[in-house]
Amino acid sequence: MSFTRTQGSERPRQTSRREDHHILRNAGMQSTASSAAIQADVALSLRAHVSSQTIRRCLAEEHLGSRHLLRVLPLTPTHRRFHLEWYRARGSWTTAVWNQVVFSVGSRFNLRSDDNRIRVLRPRGERLNSVFVLQRHTAPTAGVMVWGAISYNRRPSLVLICGTMAAHLYAHDILKSHVLPLMQRLPGAIFQQDNAWSRTTRVSQDCLQIVITFP
């Protein structure tokens, strides 16, 4: 038994309830499957021809869209414990306090070919669900390092770093050239940086003696 569903003025589609159920079950079990892969599975399992467009419509009715995977760094249990302790220590901070923080980060952008073509079928609002997360590659590859900072009312220019972010380069090219002048213009501000090796060395800590910091 089949039924017809019409959406607006688009062409009606005809599928059986069994075919619809098979399409949705396939998408749920293989969230990275494309509509073409689901189409091939339906043809093989049910001996039925269902177009890719019909499959996409069926998934859309169940609020399943093709979206990019969330790419994250793998976290160890120790990382998770440190993160939780950090959040708990600052859980009582008010908006006024956070407005005084100058956040900074140094990011390495990968120059290797990656068209991010891996997509996943997931409901809207579930981007952080671990089922739809992909841990990204962390081994050394060709890339560039960029440093930047931002606060409630300031947005300094990005700094392109040539080579590796060594401690002496971080102290001279970032802290002395950009951070210290910025903090002098923001009395009472708090400078935030992570615990990467170049940030925790003696030469870096000496540069920040006159600045309020927190990791």
Side-chain angles (χ1 to χ4, degrees), residues 28-29 31-32 69 120-122 126-134:
M29 295 177 61
S31 60
T32 57
L69 285 164
V120 63
L121 297 169
R122 62 169 173 80
E126 293 196 16
R127 183 168 181 261
L128 299 179
N129 190 323
S130 60
V131 176
F132 309 120
V133 170
L134 176 66

Side-chain angles (χ1 to χ4, degrees), residues 77-93:
T78 301
H79 290 147
R80 298 178 188 276
R81 178 169 56 84
F82 285 160
H83 283 197
L84 184 59
E85 292 174 355
W86 191 95
Y87 295 134
R88 285 175 174 171
R90 294 160 182 83
S92 61
W93 281 24

Side-chain angles (χ1 to χ4, degrees), residues 15-206:
T15 53
S16 68
R17 296 185 184 277
R18 183 186 178 204
E19 291 165 354
D20 284 347
H21 176 75
H22 190 85
I23 291 171
L24 295 175
R25 187 183 66 174
N26 198 307
M29 295 177 61
Q30 304 181 56
S31 60
T32 57
S34 64
S35 57
I38 297 177
Q39 179 188 28
D41 184 79
V42 171
L44 180 64
S45 302
L46 304 182
R47 307 292 183 184
H49 174 72
V50 181
S51 68
S52 295
Q53 184 179 11
T54 297
I55 291 174
R56 288 193 293 269
R57 288 179 178 176
C58 179
L59 297 174
E61 289 178 358
E62 298 298 323
H63 308 289
L64 290 173
S66 177
R67 300 178 175 89
H68 290 295
L69 285 164
L70 174 64
R71 294 169 178 254
V72 300
L73 287 172
L75 293 179
T76 66
T78 301
H79 290 147
R80 298 178 188 276
R81 178 169 56 84
F82 285 160
H83 283 197
L84 184 59
E85 292 174 355
W86 191 95
Y87 295 134
R88 285 175 174 171
R90 294 160 182 83
S92 61
W93 281 24
T94 63
T95 302
V97 176
W98 284 112
N99 287 347
Q100 297 296 316
V101 178
V102 177
F103 295 94
S104 70
V105 64
S107 296
R108 188 174 185 276
F109 291 87
N110 190 5
L111 298 182
R112 71 183 180 125
S113 177
D114 184 0
D115 56 10
N116 198 22
R117 292 179 62 185
I118 300 179
R119 300 178 71 88
V120 63
L121 297 169
R122 62 169 173 80
R124 188 178 298 275
E126 293 196 16
R127 183 168 181 261
L128 299 179
N129 190 323
S130 60
V131 176
F132 309 120
V133 170
L134 176 66
Q135 293 185 355
R136 67 179 177 86
H137 181 70
T138 58
T141 55
V144 295
M145 178 73 74
V146 177
W147 179 91
I150 190 171
S151 65
Y152 179 72
N153 55 4
R154 297 275 181 167
R155 188 176 59 185
S157 300
L158 294 176
V159 181
L160 179 63
I161 301 167
C162 298
T164 305
M165 178 75 86
H168 67 282
L169 289 177
Y170 180 70
H172 183 271
D173 296 348
I174 302 299
L175 297 181
K176 293 181 179 179
S177 301
H178 298 278
V179 174
L180 294 182
L182 173 63
M183 300 304 289
Q184 289 173 359
R185 297 193 298 268
L186 299 173
I190 305 171
F191 179 64
Q192 177 273 334
Q193 61 178 358
D194 58 33
N195 287 322
W197 175 82
S198 60
R199 280 74 155 172
T200 58
T201 59
R202 176 66 64 84
V203 64
S204 297
Q205 295 300 314
D206 289 345

